[in-house]
Amino acid sequence: MNLNGFDYYADTPDPTLGLSRTATLIRKARSDAGHDLVLLFDNGDSLQGTPVGDWAARTKRPHPMMLAFKALQYDAIALGNHDFGLGFATLDRVLAQAPGPVLCGNLKRLEGVTKWQSTAVLDRIVPIDGRKVPIRIGVLSVLPPQTIRWESHVLQGNAVAQDILSAARNGVRALKRRNCDVIVALAHSGIGPRVAAENMENAIIPLSEIDGIDAIIAGHTHLTFPGDAHSGLAGVDIDLGRISGKPVVMPGSAGSHLGVIDLDMRWSANSGWQIDDHRSQLRSIRATCTEGSVSEDPEMRDLFEVAHAATRTMLARPVGRVTQHLHSYFSFCAADRGLALVAAAQAFAVRPFLNTPELANLPLLSAVSPHKFGGRAGPRCFTDVPAGEIEQRHVDDLHVFPNDLRALVVKGSQVQDWLEMSAGVFNRIDLKADTDLVDPHRAGHNFDVVFGLRYRIDLSRPARFDADGGLIDAAHSRIVDLTHDRRPIEDEQMFVVTTNTYRAIGGGHFPFVGQVTSLPLPNLAIKSIIRDFVSNTAPDDYAQTPQHPFAFVPQPGAFAILKTGPGARAHLADISRYRPQLLGCDPDGFERIRLAL
């Protein structure tokens, strides 16, 4: 939920995101269309994910996103998986303020009044040669069925989810029965495998092959389409913005882009409406080499002012102090003191619950991953907390997501697989040419660093698992010299690993999920745990920074390119052992640093 161009973690303006700038593109698109019919949709995950979203979920004031949807004349609103993390009570209250239909076609609530519907029919009028010709637009909406598991604290036992493709076919049939002339799919799903399978998370390609769907708005993965990230996929035409011959847009995240689909349509009294041609494009709010950033829409800026001011006040509350600068510019290659602090806070919080002799005698590990690592979110998206007094916004900067604490009992062989899956974030090093260190198709928040262990990562070896957790080859092993307390760990050795709810319920497709024991814990928000930890409530022995767990196996003569934020320049001493060489910024604004491995 990015309303205006502001980074609440850094407490500074950010011109690369925000609905207040997307609104400027929306108004221009309406103007460009002239007298043509224009429809405007939102495709989910609009209610959460930022501090202002947290404030809006708790306030009794009108919800700012719903006010914006009304002011900008949205025709329909879809739900995404994260929107259900608010809980039904909050979600119901927010959706009651929606200015139009709210859609979710494949998630059904088992009890209570559902505040969303499976499909919607929009009846509109188009002027043609002095006549007012009616047109009926059908809209359906789907999201990943995995939402039940991802938001299990709300949905488990309270809702059921249907397969995306089955629900979409049902939606098409229902809309055809209502004589819709055009059907638009709001699919909170990414562009993934071409071959249809049951319960796909990213189902856009087989969805596009369903007869009756005329246009698709995709999402969920925060990627863009048309865009180079999807080039080379069968049936995907990134130049024309078409998949299986149908127009598709995926407009990034945080308001970074407006997706525009143009349908050239023809009407006749005999055959009704027909689509002759279509075009898809993205319009970006971000600065380019020739143009500056899109300006904020004045009406939106004024509409968001109360929420903006209240959120800044909420985040300015002092919470404690840290003695070292905490940043995530080098999370993938060097010690990240912010991760170390979160790992120590998690371990400190879970230890009182290991209150049986069997559990108390097991080694306690703490798994953490970077939440702000650049990637799709851009070169400004890095944790950067200065030493000294810190505020609530700095705590949120260390742990962005609204996760609770979990503790798992795990065997040594499962720990090995855990780390192998994490190490899949890296590209395999090519000794003959510089290689990007991180695979851009892997999510950086799935790079778990497990504190309490020591291990090395061999980048010359292939990964054991693919991005979906599928086993590539059990013989592949990037993790070497894995030890605990200076002793090699054994396959049957038992550990307690503290982690977050996202990982414990299967987020990131880690292969151990479903094969480990989860210990009963009360609801402990990790942000609250960190806040208490830095408020000097922890004993002195926990205040020490844990030892950094991993290093790379040396690769003589090999070099890797790290893409990080420009702020990394002030901290190059942290990676001096790699003899860093600054290569300048790439077109997306990332600082490129050459590392000697």
Side-chain angles (χ1 to χ4, degrees):
M1 181 174 163
N2 288 272
L3 299 181
N4 49 5
F6 199 83
D7 181 344
Y8 289 101
Y9 307 109
D11 199 38
T12 58
D14 184 348
T16 68
L17 51 80
L19 181 58
S20 58
R21 285 184 164 82
T22 323
T24 300
L25 297 179
I26 290 170
R27 296 194 196 279
K28 185 177 188 305
R30 287 191 187 277
S31 176
D32 292 345
H35 296 293
D36 290 343
L37 175 63
V38 176
L39 299 171
L40 180 60
F41 303 108
D42 182 83
N43 200 24
D45 282 0
S46 62
L47 303 179
Q48 54 66 58
T50 61
V52 70
D54 296 340
W55 174 85
R58 293 195 291 264
T59 185
K60 300 299 183 183
R61 301 177 67 95
H63 197 281
M65 185 60 79
M66 295 301 154
L67 293 176
F69 286 155
K70 181 177 181 180
L72 292 169
Q73 302 175 53
Y74 274 72
D75 292 279
I77 301 160
L79 293 176
N81 52 288
H82 286 296
D83 294 321
F84 290 93
L86 299 171
F88 281 136
T90 300
L91 185 60
D92 288 349
R93 176 173 56 81
V94 173
L95 297 186
Q97 305 171 46
V102 179
L103 305 179
C104 183
N106 66 323
L107 193 147
K108 309 297 182 184
R109 191 170 175 175
L110 296 178
E111 296 182 357
V113 178
T114 301
K115 297 294 185 180
W116 60 89
Q117 57 199 64
S118 298
T119 60
V121 173
L122 308 176
D123 288 311
R124 299 293 187 265
I125 298 295
V126 178
I128 298 178
D129 298 329
R131 298 180 58 186
K132 295 182 178 179
V133 179
I135 184 171
R136 174 164 281 196
I137 301 98
V139 189
L140 63 88
S141 170
V142 287
L143 49 65
Q146 292 82 357
T147 300
I148 296 290
R149 185 175 75 245
W150 296 334
E151 305 296 343
S152 60
H153 63 293
V154 173
L155 299 178
Q156 199 70 50
N158 297 314
V160 293
Q162 185 182 9
D163 170 71
I164 284 177
L165 302 178
S166 297
R169 292 188 187 99
N170 291 340
V172 169
R173 284 193 289 268
L175 294 169
K176 286 293 186 184
R177 285 195 296 268
R178 298 185 66 182
N179 299 315
C180 290
D181 301 296
V182 178
I183 295 179
V184 178
L186 306 182
H188 191 82
S189 181
I191 300 172
R194 179 175 183 82
V195 178
E198 189 174 1
N199 292 325
M200 297 178 75
E201 175 184 350
N202 297 308
I204 293 299
I205 296 180
L207 185 71
S208 69
E209 296 171 349
I210 294 178
D211 187 42
I213 293 177
D214 297 299
I216 298 175
I217 300 174
H220 181 54
T221 60
H222 295 196
L223 293 173
T224 55
F225 184 83
D228 290 340
H230 302 102
S231 61
L233 296 176
V236 175
D237 187 333
I238 64 170
D239 293 326
L240 296 177
R242 297 175 180 177
I243 299 179
S244 305
K246 295 178 182 177
V248 179
V249 290
M250 182 189 290
S253 64
S256 63
H257 296 77
L258 175 67
V260 179
I261 294 176
D262 285 310
L263 299 179
D264 292 337
M265 302 190 66
R266 171 173 42 86
W267 178 84
S268 71
N270 294 327
S271 57
W273 288 101
Q274 302 291 326
I275 299 174
D276 286 338
D277 198 7
H278 47 74
R279 295 171 298 281
S280 304
Q281 62 170 296
L282 296 180
R283 301 182 185 182
S284 174
I285 70 170
R286 300 184 178 185
T288 66
C289 295
T290 57
E291 299 180 2
S293 297
V294 171
S295 61
E296 289 190 285
D297 179 80
E299 181 184 358
M300 291 297 105
R301 188 176 60 238
D302 293 344
L303 187 152
F304 298 146
E305 183 53 38
V306 170
H308 175 59
T311 301
R312 291 186 68 193
T313 298
M314 176 183 72
L315 294 177
R317 185 174 76 251
V319 297
R321 62 178 295 108
V322 294
T323 59
Q324 296 176 303
H325 200 126
L326 311 177
H327 65 81
S328 62
Y329 296 118
F330 308 126
S331 296
F332 296 113
C333 63
D336 182 328
R337 301 183 191 96
L339 285 186
L341 187 150
V342 175
Q346 289 183 171
F348 175 61
V350 83
R351 190 172 291 280
F353 299 98
L354 307 181
N355 49 16
T356 67
E358 294 82 3
L359 294 175
N361 291 327
L362 293 181
L364 177 59
L365 311 177
S366 191
V368 290
S369 64
H371 286 190
K372 298 178 68 180
F373 49 84
R376 301 167 189 171
R380 294 173 59 105
C381 188
F382 288 88
T383 296
D384 198 327
V385 178
E389 298 293 332
I390 64 171
E391 301 172 346
Q392 182 62 43
R393 65 185 175 90
H394 296 116
V395 171
D396 288 8
D397 202 16
L398 289 167
H399 194 90
V400 173
F401 302 116
N403 300 134
D404 282 354
L405 188 68
R406 290 291 181 268
L408 309 175
V409 180
V410 180
K411 295 193 300 184
S413 59
Q414 293 166 330
V415 170
Q416 176 87 28
D417 279 348
W418 193 328
L419 295 173
E420 293 287 355
M421 183 66 184
S422 297
V425 74
F426 298 112
N427 284 314
R428 190 177 184 183
I429 292 302
D430 185 346
L431 295 178
K432 298 180 180 179
D434 292 358
T435 308
D436 283 344
L437 181 64
V438 175
D439 181 350
H441 298 101
R442 297 272 191 140
H445 59 252
N446 288 331
F447 176 57
D448 278 5
V449 180
V450 181
F451 284 82
L453 301 174
R454 297 298 303 277
Y455 53 96
R456 299 200 298 169
I457 303 174
D458 191 340
L459 299 180
S460 69
R461 300 182 180 182
R464 178 177 294 184
F465 299 100
D466 63 27
D468 294 324
L471 181 65
I472 298 173
D473 191 326
H476 294 174
S477 181
R478 288 180 163 180
I479 303 300
V480 299
D481 303 329
L482 175 59
T483 63
H484 171 262
D485 197 20
R486 300 186 179 182
R487 296 184 180 90
I489 72 169
E490 300 175 1
D491 285 351
E492 298 303 316
Q493 186 177 359
M494 304 305 293
F495 299 87
V496 174
V497 184
T498 178
T499 183
N500 60 59
T501 43
Y502 174 76
R503 188 69 74 238
I505 63 176
H509 307 290
F510 277 63
F512 62 83
V513 174
Q515 305 173 26
V516 299
T517 300
S518 181
L519 301 180
L521 295 179
N523 292 330
L524 299 170
I526 293 179
K527 288 184 182 181
S528 297
I529 289 168
I530 299 169
R531 183 192 63 225
D532 293 344
F533 193 77
V534 299
S535 298
N536 298 318
T537 60
D540 290 341
D541 61 330
Y542 279 95
Q544 304 300 316
T545 301
Q547 192 173 42
H548 184 59
F550 78 89
F552 294 132
V553 173
Q555 307 289 339
F559 294 88
I561 306 300
L562 174 68
K563 293 183 179 181
T564 185
R569 299 170 193 152
H571 304 283
L572 293 179
D574 292 353
I575 55 170
S576 59
R577 64 182 172 279
Y578 294 113
R579 303 192 303 278
Q581 179 185 358
L582 296 178
L583 302 179
C585 288
D586 69 8
D588 294 322
F590 286 98
E591 182 70 45
R592 299 172 68 249
I593 304 178
R594 191 173 192 242
L595 308 177
L597 299 179

